[in-house]
Amino acid sequence: MDDNNCGCWAVLKRGVCKSSASRDSANTIPRTSLVYDTATETRYLNASNRELYPPNEAHLSSDNPDPPPSDNKSPCQLLQFTFQELKSATGNFRPDSILGEGGFGYVFKGWIEENGTAPAKPGSGITVAVKSLKPDGLQGHREWVAEVDFLGQLHHPNLVKLIGYCIEDDQRLLVYEFMTRGSLENHLFRRTIPLPWSNRIKIALGAAKGLAFLHGGPEPVIYRDFKTSNILLDSEYNSKLSDFGLAKAGPQGDKTHVSTRVVGTYGYAAPEYVMTGHLTSKSDVYSFGVVLLEILTGRRSMDKKRPSGEQNLVTWARPYLADKRKLYQLVDPRLELNYSLKGVQKVSQLAHNCLHRDPKSRPTMDEVVKVLTPLQDLNDLAILSYHSRLSQQGRRKKKPEGSQQLSNTQSKSIRGSPLNTGKQRCR
Ligand SMILES: Nc1ncnc2c1ncn2[C@@H]1O[C@H](COP(=O)(O)OP(=O)(O)OP(=O)(O)O)[C@@H](O)[C@H]1O
Ligand SMILES: [Mg+2]
């Protein structure tokens, strides 16, 4: 069965949904908390570290502060936690249970009982990730509402599951399913062991399915913050999108785009969106292309530590993507020759198409999924090809035994053209 069909699309209403299990009980978000407050919004918009333009330079804004409707028929089953419950669940927000920190605040590991909101002993019940908004949060209440609003109603194997929330005085917390392997960012850039090629493909495909689901629903959603730190991984490297704080309802009917304030993360946002504020699902496709390049190269989308011509990944990679003979020079050197030859060709071509300057020429996420799906089964590893060519040469030249062993240095020296064992051209 196609994963895309596994998702659940509740009709999106622009408001935080109530827990159906506890409707009309105290276990729902108080209505007053749902009204967007101009002061809060202004603080968020001015202070967000992810905003690309200061508010007064923003190109039009339809990020409307409409209060959400009161008739929410969504089937979401979010739990409402008390602050005390989450404090106990995380061992008083112990520093050693911190999983990470983002613009919203710290994310803690915690445990809750299987049925309900009660805290559980560490190692028992259900493991959760608790995200707490900084008291003086940069991204603030508005993102918190968007997160509950979208994730409370969208259900798909490639979207992280929001279990519940806490809203108490100034406290804003979110409770998610715990993703054992953390973020793709950690695996690509912070670990010494390189992420194997097959896992990279699996992760890219899962994330693509998540985006395809968002774009393909009756009321499309544009994610707007697609990046490696927002792709979380379970124990089997299944990827799930997290962070819907910047998500936005897509254009409806005859409309080609929504006009909105430019938010996102440097290095990932589509150029036409940054220039005009016109948002379409193709903006997400561009960001997907950037992430695909990061997966292929092991380089960050923006890296100030690199020489000036290499700091912006897309700018650096474009000439390689456009030249089939140079493709292999893009591959993460830490993979050595442990990658699929055809896979690299297809992934590079796909990244190139996703990064097309004309948004209309970019593929849809459904098309991306179709390209990535067969790449999971490719076994044409560059190292096998290298060995077989070495042995052919060896037979021709009657080389002594043992010359087929590939040393580290050898593998690095031929990285630019893995099919070359001499003067042969790279196909
Ligand atoms: N559900 C989860 N399970 C396990 N780890 C998580 C979970 N959610 C977040 N994390 C960890 O916490 C880190 C911080 O997440 P967070 O979403 O707050 O910030 P970010 O994505 O790094 O940055 P930004 O605020 O710009 O989105 C993640 O990179 C990840 O390592
Ligand atoms: Mg995040």
Side-chain angles (χ1 to χ4, degrees), residues 44 49 62 67-68 72 110 114 129 171 187-188 236 307 352 370 375:
Y44 152 71
N49 61 349
S62 72
N72 198 322
E114 283 190 19
Q171 304 290 352
H187 285 268
L188 273 184
E236 271 146 21
H352 199 201
K370 277 192 194 123
L375 306 192

Side-chain angles (χ1 to χ4, degrees), residues 4 8 29 44 121 124 130 188-189 217 268 307-308 310 342 365 376-377 403 409 411:
N4 281 344
C8 153
I29 296 180
Y44 152 71
K121 284 198 186 120
S124 66
V130 179
L188 273 184
F189 307 123
Y268 291 95
S308 59
E310 301 185 19
K342 194 172 172 201
M365 285 314 299
Q376 296 176 105
D377 305 320
S403 64
T409 357
S411 94

Side-chain angles (χ1 to χ4, degrees), residues 50 102-103 107 131 139 223 225 227 229-232 242-243:
R50 298 195 301 197
V107 183
K131 199 183 261 195
Q139 290 160 214
Y223 182 63
D225 204 18
K227 57 181 178 179
S229 69
N230 284 343
I231 300 171
L232 301 179
S242 72
D243 271 1

Side-chain angles (χ1 to χ4, degrees), residues 49-50 98-109 128-132 139 143 147 160-161 175-186 190 223 225 227-233 242-243 246 264-265:
N49 61 349
R50 298 195 301 197
I98 292 176
L99 295 168
E101 185 190 8
F104 193 89
Y106 288 109
V107 183
F108 298 86
K109 188 173 182 178
V128 291
V130 179
K131 199 183 261 195
S132 67
Q139 290 160 214
E143 277 195 33
E147 184 92 2
V160 76
K161 187 170 185 283
V175 183
Y176 302 90
E177 65 174 311
F178 173 67
M179 298 291 288
T180 323
R181 293 195 185 269
S183 74
L184 172 59
E185 186 201 18
N186 277 333
R190 297 181 200 267
Y223 182 63
D225 204 18
K227 57 181 178 179
T228 51
S229 69
N230 284 343
I231 300 171
L232 301 179
L233 307 170
S242 72
D243 271 1
L246 298 184
T265 303

Side-chain angles (χ1 to χ4, degrees), residues 39-51:
T40 320
E41 185 180 10
T42 307
R43 192 184 64 200
Y44 152 71
L45 290 170
N46 284 337
S48 168
N49 61 349
R50 298 195 301 197
E51 193 178 355

